[in-house]
């Protein structure tokens, strides 16, 4: 089952709470994408394959 590492959530939270509007918007997008990926049962490798991006770019 795909999961999201707790460190990822911490990084997103810190990014979204640093007082910069652009970072807040970026953090919201990241959280949405991560939630959708897990809801759909996709791994980072799956998303990389589907998108044509490398796994490291997805991570």
């Amino acid at each position: 089952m795909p999961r999201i590492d707790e460190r990822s959530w911490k990084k997103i939270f810190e990014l979204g709470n640093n007082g910069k509007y652009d970072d807040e918007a970026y953090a919201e997008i990241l959280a949405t994408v991560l939630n959708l990926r897990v809801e759909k049962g996709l791994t980072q490798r799956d998303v990389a394959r589907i998108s044509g991006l490398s796994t490291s770019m997805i991570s």
Side-chain angles (χ1 to χ4, degrees):
M1 172 93 175
R3 63 182 180 81
I4 302 171
D5 191 295
E6 186 176 318
R7 291 173 294 177
S8 296
W9 284 121
K10 184 177 179 185
K11 288 178 185 177
I12 291 170
F13 178 80
E14 289 170 356
L15 180 66
N17 288 294
N18 70 9
K20 297 178 183 175
Y21 176 77
D22 289 348
D23 286 349
E24 184 179 324
Y26 183 58
E28 191 171 328
I29 292 167
L30 287 172
T32 300
V33 170
L34 285 170
N35 280 326
L36 287 171
R37 177 180 68 79
V38 171
E39 273 181 27
K40 301 237 179 245
L42 298 172
T43 64
Q44 288 182 349
R45 181 174 284 157
D46 294 332
V47 174
R49 182 180 41 77
I50 293 165
S51 67
L53 298 171
S54 68
T55 304
S56 61
M57 285 198 72
I58 299 299
S59 70

